[in-house]
C-alpha cells in the first residue's frame, strides 16, 4: 500500500459495515423442523460433486448457534449483517404451504440482530432452490418466476416490520452458468442452451418479485419504506497489455457483454443483442418487468478477469498474489469496477460492496494457537482502500460487507476454503475471531481506514 493510501479515510456517517453469510453455507439442520430438500442438499449428497465428500448438513450449525454468531458480529462492531433465507426452509416445496417452524427461525435471527443493534440485510435467494421445483425444470421453467415472486411477497409480509433492506438474488451468474453450463454447482447441469434462458428467468423473477414485494409492503402500512436491490458478481475484464489495442478491445467487449448482460436489462430495459439471441423464450413485456426501479445495487468483487489476444489463458501472472481459490489479488480492479459501473450506468442506484474477501489457509503455532491471518487482513485493507478511491472519485458507495463472518461451506470446494473473519473448528463448532476480524472491528468502530 502506498504512503498516500496509508493517509487514512473517514467514511460518511451511517456507512454500512457488515459481513455476509448464506443459508446453505452456515445453517446446517438441512432436514429439520419441516425444511424441504434443496438442490444443494441433493447435489452435495450426490457422490463426487463436492471436494472431500463434504455437505452442508451441519455446516456451522448456525441454525442452533445463531445467538453465538450474532454476538460475534456485535464483537466485530458490525452495524449490519447480510444473510439469506433458505426458500425450502420456509416453503418446503417452493409453492403451497409455508412452514411456520422455518419462518420462526428467521424471526429469532432477526430479533437477535436487532437486539444487538445490527441491521439485517436479507437475501431471498442464495442458490438453494427447493428440489421440488427443480423436479419441474427449476429456473428453466418460467412458472418458477411467479412462484418466486409469491415467496418474496410472503417474506416481506412476515419480516418487513423489522427488515428494511432486501435483495432478491445473490449472483445470478453463478446460478445460470456454474449451475447450468459448467455443472459445478447445483443442479449440476451442463446445458449451454439452457443457461441464457435460466439467466433470463432469474432476472424476470427478480422483476416480478420487486413488484410483489412493493405491493406487499404497501399493504403493511410501514412507517419506513423497504429498500430493494439485487446482488451481482460483475466481472471486470482488463487487458493483459494495456498498450495493446487488441487486448483492450477484447477487454472492452467482455465488459459490455458480461456486465451488460445484467446491467442493461436491469437499468435500461434492453439486452445486449447476443444475449437476447440466446434466450429461447423472451416474451414481449419481459424487459419492462425486469427493469424495476431499485434502491441499491450490490456488487460482489473478488478478482478480475484478464483479456489477451496473443496467447491462451494467462494464469498465474508472474509477480501477482493468488488466494487459496486460485484467484488473483487485485484491489485496483475493485476501484476500476466501481468507477466503471457508476460511470457507464448513471441510471443505477447507490452501490454497496456486498461481498469481498479472501480464502487463505490458517496456521497454528506450536501451542495450537491460531496465527494472525496477515494475508487476509492485507487483502481486506487494500480492497477497502480501493473502494475509498472510487468514493473519492464520486462513486456513491453506501456500505461494505466482508465475506464472510464465519469459515463455512464453500460450495464445490467444501470446507477446505476458509473465507471467515471468524475461524470455525468444524469438529467442535468452536469459533475464534481471527486477527483480520479484530482489525475489521476497528475499522467499523472508527468508521475510518
Ligand atoms: O462463498 C461464496 C458466496 O456464496 C457467493 N460469492 C462468492 C463467495 C466465495 O466464493
Amino acid at each position: 500500500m502506498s504512503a498516500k493510501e496509508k493517509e487514512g479515510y473517514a467514511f460518511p456517517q451511517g456507512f454500512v459495515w457488515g459481513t455476509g453469510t448464506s443459508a446453505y453455507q452456515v445453517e446446517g439442520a438441512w432436514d429439520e423442523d419441516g425444511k424441504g430438500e434443496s438442490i444443494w442438499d441433493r447435489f452435495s449428497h450426490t457422490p463426487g460433486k463436492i471436494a472431500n465428500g463434504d455437505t452442508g448438513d451441519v455446516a456451522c450449525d448456525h441454525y442452533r448457534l445463531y445467538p453465538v454468531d450474532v454476538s460475534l458480529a456485535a464483537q466485530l462492531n458490525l452495524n449490519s449483517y447480510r444473510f439469506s433465507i433458505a426458500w425450502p426452509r420456509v416453503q418446503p416445496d417452493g409453492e403451497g404451504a409455508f412452514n411456520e417452524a422455518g419462518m420462526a427461525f428467521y424471526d429469532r435471527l432477526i430479533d437477535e440482530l436487532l437486539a444487538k443493534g445490527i441491521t439485517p440485510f436479507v437475501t431471498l435467494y442464495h442458490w438453494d432452490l427447493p428440489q421440488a421445483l427443480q423436479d419441474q425444470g427449476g429456473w428453466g421453467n418460467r412458472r418458477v418466476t411467479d412462484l418466486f415472486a409469491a415467496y418474496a411477497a410472503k417474506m416481506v409480509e412476515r419480516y418487513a416490520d423489522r427488515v428494511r433492506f432486501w435483495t432478491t438474488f445473490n449472483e445470478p451468474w453463478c446460478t445460470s452458468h456454474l449451475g447450468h453450463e459448467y455443472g459445478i454447482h447445483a443442479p449440476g447441469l451442463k446445458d449451454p442452451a439452457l443457461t441464457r434462458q435460466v439467466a433470463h428467468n432469474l432476472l424476470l423473477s427478480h422483476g416480478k418479485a420487486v413488484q410483489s414485494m412493493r405491493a406487499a409492503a404497501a399493504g403493511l402500512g410501514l412507517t419506513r419504506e423497504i429498500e430493494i436491490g439485487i446482488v451481482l458478481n460483475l466481472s471486470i475484464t482488463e487487458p493483459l497489455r494495456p498498450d495493446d489495442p487488441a487486448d483492450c478491445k477484447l477487454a472492452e467487449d467482455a465488459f459490455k457483454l458480461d456486465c451488460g448482460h445484467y446491467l442493461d436489462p436491469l437499468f435500461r430495459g434492453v439486452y445486449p443483442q447476443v444475449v437476447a439471441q440466446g434466450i429461447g423464450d423472451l416474451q414481449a413485456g419481459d424487459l419492462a418487468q425486469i427493469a424495476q426501479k431499485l434502491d441499491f445495487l450490490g456488487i460482489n468483487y473478488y478478482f478480475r478477469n484478464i483479456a489477451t489476444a496473443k496467447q491462451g489463458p494467462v494464469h498465474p501472472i508472474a509477480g501477482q498474489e493468488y488466494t487459496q481459490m486460485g484467484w488473483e489479488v487485485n484491489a485496483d480492479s475493485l476501484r476500476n469496477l466501481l468507477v466503471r459501473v457508476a460511470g457507464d450506468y448513471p441510471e443505477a442506484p447507490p452501490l454497496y460492496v456486498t461481498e469481498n474477501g479472501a480464502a487463505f489457509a490458517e496456521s497454528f503455532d506450536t501451542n495450537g494457537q491460531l496465527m494472525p491471518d496477515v494475508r487476509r487482513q492485507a487483502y481486506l485493507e487494500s480492497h477497502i482502500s480501493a473502494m475509498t478511491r472510487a468514493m473519492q472519485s464520486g462513486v456513491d458507495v453506501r456500505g461494505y460487507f466482508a465475506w464472510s463472518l464465519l469459515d463455512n461451506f464453500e460450495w464445490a470446494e467444501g470446507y477446505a476454503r476458509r473465507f471467515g473473519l471468524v475461524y470455525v473448528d468444524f469438529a467442535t463448532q468452536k469459533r475464534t475471531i481471527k486477527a483480520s476480524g479484530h482489525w475489521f472491528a476497528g475499522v467499523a468502530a472508527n468508521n475510518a481506514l
Side-chain angles (χ1 to χ4, degrees), residues 22 25 126-127 170-171 300 302 325 327 355 403 408-411 419:
S22 83
Q25 293 179 276
H126 198 126
W127 307 354
N170 181 72
E171 301 180 348
N300 294 353
Y302 291 90
M325 299 291 283
W327 295 346
E355 283 182 29
W403 185 267
N408 60 45
F409 177 83
E410 178 53 28
W411 308 110
F419 278 90

Side-chain angles (χ1 to χ4, degrees), residues 119-346:
T119 301
F121 261 68
V122 169
T123 303
L124 288 168
Y125 187 77
H126 198 126
W127 307 354
D128 42 1
L129 186 73
Q131 180 64 40
L133 296 185
Q134 188 61 43
D135 295 342
Q136 301 174 34
W139 292 111
N141 180 349
R142 193 178 169 97
R143 183 169 171 267
V144 175
T145 64
D146 292 318
L147 298 177
F148 181 77
Y151 148 68
K154 176 78 175 180
M155 295 301 99
V156 165
E157 280 165 20
R158 176 84 179 207
Y159 305 118
D161 58 333
R162 288 155 290 160
V163 175
R164 178 173 160 208
F165 296 95
W166 297 82
T167 56
T168 52
F169 286 90
N170 181 72
E171 301 180 348
W173 179 89
C174 294
T175 297
S176 56
H177 288 72
L178 299 182
H180 295 80
E181 183 177 6
Y182 307 128
I184 56 175
H185 277 192
L189 302 179
K190 290 183 184 166
D191 184 349
L194 184 62
T195 306
R196 288 230 194 275
Q197 188 64 51
V198 165
H200 175 66
N201 289 352
L202 290 168
L203 286 169
L204 186 58
S205 304
H206 158 84
K208 288 184 179 181
V210 173
Q211 297 170 72
S212 70
M213 292 163 77
R214 295 223 196 269
L220 295 174
L222 299 169
T223 48
R224 186 182 222 176
E225 288 195 10
I226 59 171
E227 296 203 18
I228 308 178
I230 187 169
V231 169
L232 304 175
N233 55 318
L234 297 176
S235 13
I236 181 139
T237 301
E238 298 188 324
L240 180 66
R241 300 171 194 83
D243 53 354
D244 180 332
D247 284 9
C248 292
K249 162 122 184 32
L250 275 183
E252 188 57 24
D253 291 350
F255 181 86
K256 289 207 168 113
L257 182 61
D258 297 344
C259 295
H261 186 164
Y262 296 93
L263 298 178
D264 288 4
L266 284 167
F267 300 116
R268 296 178 183 158
V270 293
Y271 272 122
Q273 205 183 1
V274 55
V275 174
Q277 283 164 352
I279 303 170
D281 183 14
L282 172 56
Q283 299 183 11
D286 282 2
L287 279 157
Q289 297 245 46
I290 291 170
Q292 297 300 312
K293 183 185 165 300
L294 294 181
D295 301 302
F296 63 92
L297 169 65
I299 293 185
N300 294 353
Y301 174 82
Y302 291 90
F303 59 92
R304 64 173 178 163
N305 293 330
I306 295 286
T308 173
K310 295 217 176 88
Q311 62 191 74
V314 200
H315 188 84
I317 300 174
Q320 286 297 92
E321 183 185 14
Y322 287 82
T323 70
Q324 222 187 2
M325 299 291 283
W327 295 346
E328 181 200 354
V329 177
N330 194 311
D332 283 344
S333 296
L334 171 58
R335 181 230 164 243
N336 297 346
L337 175 63
L338 295 170
V339 168
R340 181 81 200 257
V341 169
D344 281 21
Y345 294 89

